[in-house]
Amino acid sequence: MIKQQKTAVVTGASSGIGAATVQVLSAAGYQVILAARRRERLEKLAQEYGGIAVELDVTSSASVAAFAAQIETPVDVLVNNAGGALGKETIVEFDEEHWLQMYQSNVLGLARVTRALWPQLQKSSAATVINIGSVASEETYMGGAGYTACKHAVRALSETMRLEWLGQPIRITEIDPGLVETEFSLVRFAGDAKAAKAVYDGMTPLVAADIAEAIRWVVSLPEHVNIDRLLIKPRDQARVDKVVRR
Ligand code: NAP
């Protein structure tokens, strides 16, 4: 029997967890649509792993609409991964621009992309939406309020999707990583490589492929099985702010 190829959309596919997810989903047989702002990087990854590179800025409604308009196939897997942290200011010194940008990408961006791809998700006979939260979706730390508030919101969105879509053939999984060594800290600290490296000093962090493997597993399960949430931390991390360094 000829089986139709399934389609997966990965946002934030130009680096880190998103890029690793493209690799594993392509290898698992999906047609992957790679989405992010840095088009050149997407094209390079698409050449290497397969898939189609499409520029997307999740903070722009116009960009999200133009992106969704290009997708004609059903969307069987949507990985809402685009996002990250900016700065680490305390509440009394918070940088409004940082907090607005984090809310735009991690929260509104996730909702915008999901809303725009809703028709394509409904065309799938069994879809899975994976929202990348964080250990920061359930814990807080000093200087982390802007980011943790956004990732707590990802928890709220994931749980609400499960309520609003009950009865439809759509699974919703929230994957909450602990420390993963990607460009995350470099972006957070505005390109300060020393500050970024210090986050992982003396400990063994996760790598992007560890999270991608969890995504591969979640989507490979029989379609009646919904993994609500996976909290995945390195062995060297007990809490968001409790890390052993040797
Ligand atoms: P990363 O290497 O910095 O990747 C972030 C990705 O998000 C990039 O591909 C970036 O692409 C994309 N992105 C950012 N803003 C975007 C926008 N406005 N529109 C479209 N794409 C955008 O970091 P990562 O660790 O892989 O992060 C992926 C996700 O995991 C994020 O949601 C992050 O919050 C979460 N997370 C990371 C960790 C960690 O320790 N690394 C832990 C928990 C959760 P462009 O710049 O090309 O647009």
Side-chain angles (χ1 to χ4, degrees):
M1 199 174 82
I2 300 168
K3 253 186 150 179
Q4 180 137 26
Q5 192 179 21
K6 291 191 169 186
T7 297
V9 171
V10 179
T11 70
S14 61
S15 84
I17 294 168
T21 303
V22 170
Q23 184 177 8
V24 298
L25 292 185
S26 268
Y30 286 86
Q31 162 178 259
V32 182
I33 297 170
L34 297 76
R37 292 166 301 185
R38 288 170 292 178
R39 196 189 174 93
E40 273 175 29
R41 279 202 185 204
L42 294 179
E43 275 166 1
K44 238 178 124 189
L45 287 162
Q47 264 178 13
E48 198 175 340
Y49 303 132
I52 303 162
V54 185
E55 211 172 297
L56 168 70
D57 180 352
V58 300
T59 68
S60 153
S61 297
S63 173
V64 172
F67 171 75
Q70 291 176 64
I71 303 174
E72 284 169 1
T73 58
V75 169
D76 302 289
V77 174
L78 167 61
V79 184
N80 279 315
N81 165 72
L86 292 172
K88 215 178 165 187
E89 310 96 26
T90 61
I91 291 171
V92 294
E93 288 179 335
F94 91 90
D95 178 319
E96 214 160 307
E97 198 43 45
H98 278 168
W99 284 33
L100 279 169
Q101 275 190 49
M102 285 191 283
Y103 196 76
Q104 273 287 356
S105 59
N106 292 284
V107 186
L108 291 181
L110 186 156
R112 261 186 211 110
V113 172
T114 307
R115 180 180 63 183
L117 291 179
W118 183 240
Q120 292 89 329
L121 285 165
Q122 287 197 297
K123 275 192 218 158
S124 168
S125 59
T128 307
V129 173
I130 296 183
N131 295 327
I132 304 298
S134 168
V135 62
S137 295
E138 57 189 43
E139 293 182 20
T140 59
Y141 53 96
M142 288 189 293
Y147 180 62
T148 57
C150 289
K151 289 303 192 186
H152 275 60
V154 171
R155 169 72 47 90
L157 286 165
S158 306
E159 293 190 349
T160 308
M161 284 176 186
R162 237 172 263 122
L163 292 170
E164 291 182 353
W165 302 348
L166 187 63
Q168 308 224 29
I170 308 182
R171 307 185 283 193
I172 302 98
T173 297
E174 179 189 316
I175 295 193
D176 296 325
L179 286 169
V180 190
E181 193 163 9
T182 61
E183 291 175 19
F184 176 88
S185 296
L186 203 61
V187 173
R188 173 170 229 170
F189 298 118
D192 181 342
K194 208 171 149 207
K197 196 175 165 287
V199 174
Y200 316 106
D201 264 358
M203 56 89 62
T204 306
L206 298 173
V207 294
D210 298 324
I211 304 303
E213 170 56 15
I215 292 170
R216 189 205 57 75
W217 175 70
V218 163
V219 300
S220 75
L221 292 168
E223 53 192 50
H224 66 282
V225 181
N226 192 103
I227 303 296
D228 279 21
R229 199 151 66 219
L230 285 175
L231 174 60
I232 309 172
K233 302 202 293 337
R235 190 176 51 190
D236 287 348
Q237 181 178 27
R239 279 180 47 94
V240 69
D241 53 354
K242 184 82 182 160
V243 174
V244 67
R245 299 187 193 274
R246 299 177 181 87

